Amino acid sequence: KETAKYVAQRGRMMQELMERPFLFENITFYMKMPGSDMTEAQFISEVLEQSGCGLLLDINNVYVNSRNHDFDPYDFLKQIPIERTVQIHVAGHIHAPEFKAVVDTHGEAIAQPVYDLLKYVLDQTDVKAVLLERDQNFPDDFNDILSELDQIRSIAGTKLPRELKPTRH
């Protein structure tokens, strides 16, 4: 709770300093914080409530954490203030058996369960933007990336405000 309070204070300070809305992003984590008495959903909810900030919801991070920490990603999404979501990120991940984990890489194709979570979130709340994160391992055929964008657009296109509807350039 002390950490949530500290982070929330910093978020409020950023909004005041920048005179713009500030968003917190949910992150991937690979071990539980020793001594923590809050779940990830409780921590995110507390920070957003105390700070007045919005949420940059990384759907792949929700999925990766759910696999690594054995929880239902839909239950997690029901526990956070999803209505505070301003922007959504989607990305790919790898299964890393040597680490006994799923690892957020931003370098692989988006998995179907991540697309399913994206649709679920967009059915629950309005957002301003959906962003494909791809930082490495670009495929030789760029059409693979365009196919991912097309799938995101087909899910998000009907959910975004008219003035934000995606176009292909």
Side-chain angles (χ1 to χ4, degrees), residues 25 28 58 60-61 89-94 103-109 133-138:
E25 181 175 5
T28 54
D58 191 311
N60 188 61
N61 292 354
H89 287 181
V90 290
H93 57 268
I94 61 169
V103 179
D104 177 34
T105 62
H106 296 182
E108 303 300 323
E133 292 185 288
R134 189 68 176 258
D135 301 338
Q136 58 184 329
N137 297 336
F138 294 102

Side-chain angles (χ1 to χ4, degrees), residues 43-144:
F43 182 81
I44 289 170
S45 298
E46 189 81 15
V47 167
L48 295 179
E49 181 63 34
Q50 288 186 30
S51 68
C53 294
L55 178 62
L56 190 166
L57 182 62
D58 191 311
I59 298 292
N60 188 61
N61 292 354
V62 171
Y63 179 76
V64 166
N65 289 344
S66 76
R67 295 290 312 274
N68 289 333
H69 301 289
D70 195 30
F71 63 82
D72 183 314
Y74 294 93
D75 286 343
F76 171 85
L77 292 168
K78 291 173 187 170
Q79 294 171 31
I80 64 171
I82 202 168
E83 70 281 358
R84 307 278 302 249
T85 304
V86 175
Q87 186 178 88
I88 294 175
H89 287 181
V90 290
H93 57 268
I94 61 169
H95 298 271
E98 67 274 21
F99 300 117
K100 296 180 182 165
V102 177
V103 179
D104 177 34
T105 62
H106 296 182
E108 303 300 323
I110 299 167
Q112 186 59 50
V114 175
Y115 286 121
D116 296 341
L117 288 168
L118 172 63
K119 182 178 182 331
Y120 174 81
V121 170
L122 290 173
D123 285 343
Q124 305 304 309
T125 191
D126 296 326
V127 301
K128 301 273 188 224
V130 177
L131 174 80
L132 168 62
E133 292 185 288
R134 189 68 176 258
D135 301 338
Q136 58 184 329
N137 297 336
F138 294 102
D140 292 333
D141 185 354
F142 198 69
N143 285 322
D144 293 346

Side-chain angles (χ1 to χ4, degrees), residues 136-156:
Q136 58 184 329
N137 297 336
F138 294 102
D140 292 333
D141 185 354
F142 198 69
N143 285 322
D144 293 346
I145 297 283
L146 294 176
S147 292
E148 285 185 291
L149 287 171
D150 285 343
Q151 189 159 355
I152 292 166
R153 288 177 175 134
S154 73
I155 294 167

